[in-house]
Each structure stands twice: as C-alpha cells, then as structure tokens.
Amino acid sequence: MTHRTAFLPALLVFAAPVLAQAPKLPAPGIMVAPTRLVLDARTRHQEVNLRNSGDGPGTFRIQLVGMDMDEDGACREVPLPPLPGGLAHRNLIQFSPPQVTLKPGESQVIRIRVNRPKDLPDGEYRAHMRVQEVPPPAPPDAPAEEAKGLSIRIVTQFGVAIPLIVRQGETSATVALADLARPAPERLAFTIKRTGSQSVYGDFKVLFHPDGGSTLPVAEVNGVSVWTPNERRRMDIPLTAGQLAGKGTLEVVYSEPASLGGRVIASARLGVPAP
C-alpha cells in the first residue's frame, strides 16, 4: 500500500431534458510531484509540481483538507483539527496559486510556505493539499418542446491529496514490527507499532533466508506511512510463495526510501517450516 496519492472521486447526478447523445469529451488527469512534503525548522518554502496528464484541458482547485488513516491504512477526509492557540492551518501553511487551468501536458508549480508563530509548541502538524478537478459546466437546457423525459449526467471529479507535514522543534518516533504470521502460504501479516511525536514513512522488503541457501526477495511494498496520532497499522503483504521452499526464515525490513538515506527503521523475523 502506498500514502502516495489518495484519489477523491465524487459523483454529480442531476436531472435534465433528454438530449441527443453528446460526443465524448477529452478527459483531464493530474500528476503531482513530490507526493509527500516534510517541512522542518530549516524549511520555510517548498514547491509542488502539477502536470495535466490527460488528453484534454482541465481546471484544478487546490485546497487544504484533513485526512485520517485507520489501522488498515484506509484514508478518509475529515475536518482539519484545531491547532494550539486558535491557529488555523491556512495560517500555518499557505500556498499559491489556489487554482490552475492546464492544457494537456502542461505543468504548474504550486509554492508552499510555512509561517511558524514564535509560540508554536513542539510537535508535528499535518494537513493535506488536495488538487481536485473543477467539473465542466452543465450543458444548457433543451427547449421546452424537446423536454419529454429525464436524463442523468454523471461527472467524475478526479483528484489527488498529498500530506504536508510541518515539524516544530524536536520530534522522534520508534517503530516495532509485531504479530508476524502467515494466514496463507502466499501472505504475510504483521502489525506496525509506532510511538513518539512524529509520523513514519518507508518501504518494506521481505526476504527469505533458506537454510543452507541464498537469500531471495519475496515481496516489496513502497510508501507505507503511519500518521500521528495512530500507534499501529495492520499489514497484509502478498508473497512470491513459489520461492518459499523448505525451512528458513522470513525477514521483514522497513526502511526509509533511498532518496532519504535508506536507514532501517525496524525489522523482524519469522521462521518458515518445511511444507
């Protein structure tokens, strides 16, 4: 699973006079890079690049929203939580422009700025920057003499949300991997346990060390997060079961992405019995 991009589809259904079938419209799409920003005390400014990856022009609105994650990694939009001292997220994290119109293949830089009040308590503050397509206007109504029924128009709003994490002062986290089990030969389940004052983010690799043989990679999952204040997340990873022959040991390694240094965050082992 990855906390790369969280798509936020929406449906708009309304009644309109029956019209001749309209031609298919070009579909916009959006790509965002990077897919996660951490702004520590040394970082006041950052940039996010938006690119229209669709085959038609699109207008995209940028907003700050709140997101929660459950213990299975599923995300949902929630109201932004209050900050200390009545500070609003829109005052702590500012960006521009708030809306862009892009042709196919065209890009736009969104500039992010952090304004830290002097009395902001140490800790981690998170909001998500949602980039969502503005739906095209509805077609004009047909003349009254042509209105003999109802039609349904469904508009899908494509969007993506990325976490913006502001860290103030000293923050840290400790991670352990627990409850390792194989609910099926081709799956590995375990729990990420997080403690401390900051979120964690990294990539998983699962290795099989057969007794008397060479180590084999059997799974890889990138971009796994546990956000504050969550203390646990359940994982269930598919394995290349055909490589798990004979006795040995499964090793699960949770590491920072190579771009952030590749430090091992946590690891754990599980014995593999012979079939």
Side-chain angles (χ1 to χ4, degrees):
M1 161 172 236
T2 175
H3 220 68
R4 304 183 339 175
T5 53
F7 287 94
L8 303 170
L11 295 179
L12 174 62
V13 180
F14 62 91
V18 172
L19 302 173
Q21 184 174 3
K24 182 179 179 182
L25 297 175
I30 193 70
M31 294 181 65
V32 180
T35 57
R36 176 178 179 270
L37 280 183
V38 176
L39 302 110
D40 58 22
R42 297 167 295 180
T43 308
R44 290 180 58 87
H45 303 85
Q46 272 284 14
E47 292 183 349
V48 173
N49 188 66
L50 309 183
R51 181 176 180 271
N52 183 351
S53 58
D55 55 6
T59 297
F60 303 91
R61 182 178 298 121
I62 299 98
Q63 296 174 301
L64 287 183
V65 299
M67 298 285 285
D68 270 354
M69 177 188 293
D70 67 18
E71 291 190 353
D72 293 313
C75 300
R76 65 186 180 96
E77 187 172 323
V78 297
L80 280 166
L83 296 177
L87 181 69
H89 279 86
R90 66 178 179 273
N91 300 128
L92 178 65
I93 304 172
Q94 298 178 339
F95 58 85
S96 64
Q99 183 167 298
V100 297
T101 298
L102 301 174
K103 298 176 183 177
E106 191 174 15
S107 297
Q108 170 74 49
V109 169
I110 305 300
R111 292 175 174 82
I112 312 293
R113 176 184 172 87
V114 178
N115 296 309
R116 303 170 188 265
K118 293 181 179 179
D119 57 350
L120 183 67
D122 288 358
E124 182 176 282
Y125 306 92
R126 186 186 74 254
H128 283 69
M129 188 181 79
R130 183 181 66 190
V131 183
Q132 192 166 41
E133 178 194 357
V134 177
D141 291 346
E145 62 270 16
E146 295 181 16
K148 298 179 180 179
L150 295 177
S151 68
I152 296 177
R153 179 173 181 252
I154 298 178
V155 177
T156 303
Q157 287 181 263
F158 296 100
V160 62
I162 68 169
L164 306 179
I165 297 173
V166 176
R167 289 180 180 156
Q168 174 74 5
E170 296 295 326
T171 62
S172 63
T174 301
V175 176
L177 308 180
D179 308 322
L180 273 70
R182 291 176 69 194
E186 72 282 359
R187 306 199 73 82
L188 175 66
F190 57 92
T191 302
I192 310 171
K193 294 186 175 181
R194 186 204 65 84
T195 57
S197 55
Q198 72 177 47
S199 303
V200 293
Y201 175 82
D203 301 334
F204 275 104
K205 289 185 178 180
V206 183
L207 307 172
F208 177 50
H209 305 285
D211 291 351
S214 300
T215 297
L216 300 170
V218 292
E220 185 172 333
V221 180
N222 295 331
V224 178
S225 297
V226 185
W227 298 333
T228 59
N230 296 12
E231 296 182 346
R232 53 193 293 126
R233 176 171 172 179
R234 291 186 291 263
M235 298 292 296
D236 191 334
I237 296 178
L239 304 175
T240 308
Q243 296 182 335
L244 301 176
K247 292 184 178 181
T249 303
L250 280 173
E251 181 183 18
V252 187
V253 181
Y254 186 38
S255 305
E256 292 179 342
S259 60
L260 300 179
R263 177 183 65 90
V264 173
I265 301 170
S267 64
R269 292 182 174 236
L270 175 70
V272 176

